[in-house]
Amino acid sequence: MPFPATRMRRLRNTGVLRDMVRETELAAAHLVYPLFIELGTDSRTPIEAMPGIDRLSIDHAVEEAGSAHALGIPAVLLFGIVSDKDLQGSGAYDDEGVVQLATRAIKDAHPDLVVMTDVCLCGYTSHGHCGVVRPDGSVDNDVTLELLAKTAISHARAGADAVAPSDMMDGRVAALRSQLDAEGHAGTPIVAYSAKFASAFYGPFREAADSAPAFGDRRTYQMDPANSDEAVREALLDMEEGADVVMVKPALPYLDVVQRVKERTGLPVAAYNVSGEYSMIKAAAAAGYLDERAAVLETLTGIRRAGADIVITYHAKDAAGWLQ
Ligand code: PBG
């Protein structure tokens, strides 16, 4: 039966027409570039497990944000790296903290670039957990909510265009929404890490942010990789609480979750192509096992095809360059 086979291939053989009917668009306009920022000036510290990604002092972060923007990337996501840590993670909600200072500096230099900030305590607590820890080692959800709201408000006050809570505490979106509103930031959207799985793929990030938990793990607040119905429930709950964008993280092992969350919420969906996913491609490419450019573009297209409106990726600058 030659006819069906021919029909399947006819468009593929046409070039321009094939491009016209492409179902999924990958463009820099959908990408978010994460930045790791530390205090100090004129410093760039390579992150060993993430070749091509550095911890940046604020002046370098401003420059890096500008070069991403020039490539057509509309948004950056800021993570603060601090050495001064305490039990309450007070560096997270310090108005003169590293993310707050960096937000002001980046917005001053590049007012049209969208600055999103990661809202969590794990980079600022001495024990590395995402919330305040009780004497028995468990995380105190409700005390943590107050500190997360303070953090989000402090970021908004510094000029953040959107806040992204990544802690996975219960009720955080509602807490952030009501307190942002009460403080005059009703216009600041919440990009909620709704379905954040307890993943091995955060390994390189924890090196970068120096945020590995000192004891235990994050499985009491991050999700079991086996669960997809639960991810949908988390996303629906965040939607009810006022999330403007819901996120699935990591991306590649959870593309089915991206698709379900998109279908069930109808909200804009972000997928976070995390550190370990980046490092895998980088390592394989460095060893000559993969063509980096082709692998990255295929990966990001796949994440978009699954239903992600926004893709947060460390490949953003490379991809934007290749897409030009
Ligand atoms: C903090 C946070 C993590 C990531 C983003 N925000 C790490 C974690 O939960 O341990 C991971 C990002 C990445 O791996 O690229 N809660």
Side-chain angles (χ1 to χ4, degrees):
M1 284 215 298
F3 175 66
T6 307
R7 189 178 58 199
M8 291 301 286
R9 283 196 218 100
R10 195 151 37 219
L11 281 174
R12 281 178 223 158
N13 289 335
T14 59
V16 173
L17 200 49
R18 175 192 61 208
D19 291 349
M20 286 176 74
V21 300
R22 178 172 292 146
E23 295 172 44
T24 305
E25 179 211 18
L26 178 64
H30 301 288
L31 305 180
V32 176
Y33 186 46
L35 296 174
F36 296 108
I37 307 176
E38 57 190 9
L39 288 171
T41 46
D42 198 22
S43 75
R44 250 179 197 274
T45 317
I47 299 161
E48 205 183 314
M50 300 177 72
I53 303 293
D54 301 328
R55 299 179 178 198
L56 307 167
S57 55
I58 292 174
D59 50 332
H60 280 279
V62 169
E63 209 177 279
E64 190 75 9
S67 65
H69 200 205
L71 286 164
I73 297 164
V76 291
L77 173 63
L78 308 189
F79 291 94
I81 318 270
V82 299
S83 45
D84 249 346
K85 306 190 185 207
D86 58 32
L87 289 169
Q88 311 287 317
S90 55
Y93 38 92
D94 178 352
D95 280 335
E96 302 301 312
V98 63
V99 167
Q100 290 80 353
L101 295 173
T103 299
R104 282 188 217 120
I106 293 173
K107 288 303 290 183
D108 270 351
H110 313 292
D112 299 334
L113 177 65
V114 170
V115 172
M116 299 183 185
T117 55
D118 187 82
V119 174
C120 195
L121 301 185
C122 64
Y124 305 87
T125 51
S126 40
H127 44 66
H129 278 285
C130 298
V132 175
V133 172
R134 297 194 193 90
D136 69 359
S138 62
V139 171
D140 189 330
N141 191 86
D142 294 4
V143 170
T144 302
L145 289 184
E146 289 308 306
L147 302 183
L148 293 168
K150 275 173 80 170
T151 304
I153 289 164
S154 157
H155 291 174
R157 207 183 283 134
D161 297 289
V163 291
S166 68
D167 51 280
M168 288 299 277
M169 298 300 125
D170 288 334
R172 73 210 196 285
V173 175
L176 260 58
R177 186 71 275 154
S178 68
Q179 300 202 37
L180 281 165
D181 291 357
E183 294 292 323
H185 300 291
T188 304
I190 297 177
V191 178
Y193 288 70
S194 302
K196 179 169 176 183
F197 290 89
S199 172
F201 291 97
Y202 306 148
F205 172 95
R206 291 181 189 169
E207 176 207 320
D210 187 21
S211 67
F215 55 87
D217 54 43
R218 301 206 205 290
R219 281 183 294 179
T220 57
Y221 43 97
Q222 296 183 352
M223 288 185 46
D224 182 340
N227 296 354
S228 145
D229 288 341
E230 187 190 0
V232 170
R233 289 198 301 274
E234 286 276 11
L236 289 171
L237 204 59
D238 282 357
M239 177 163 85
E240 273 166 37
E241 291 183 23
D244 301 281
V245 178
V246 286
M247 196 194 301
V248 176
K249 176 183 171 189
L252 294 183
Y254 304 97
L255 292 181
D256 58 322
V257 178
V258 171
Q259 185 172 33
R260 287 191 72 193
V261 165
K262 180 69 190 171
E263 279 170 2
R264 291 291 301 278
T265 63
L267 281 179
V269 172
Y272 199 141
N273 179 221
V274 301
S275 56
E277 301 178 87
Y278 172 84
S279 302
M280 280 198 299
I281 290 186
K282 281 293 192 184
Y289 300 157
L290 278 181
D291 172 342
E292 180 175 352
R293 173 185 171 142
V296 167
L297 295 177
E298 180 178 340
T299 295
L300 300 180
T301 300
I303 297 169
R304 290 266 303 135
R305 193 195 60 242
D309 301 281
I310 293 172
V311 184
I312 303 171
T313 179
Y314 303 97
H315 297 293
K317 273 181 68 187
D318 287 338
W322 293 323
L323 289 167
Q324 268 182 347

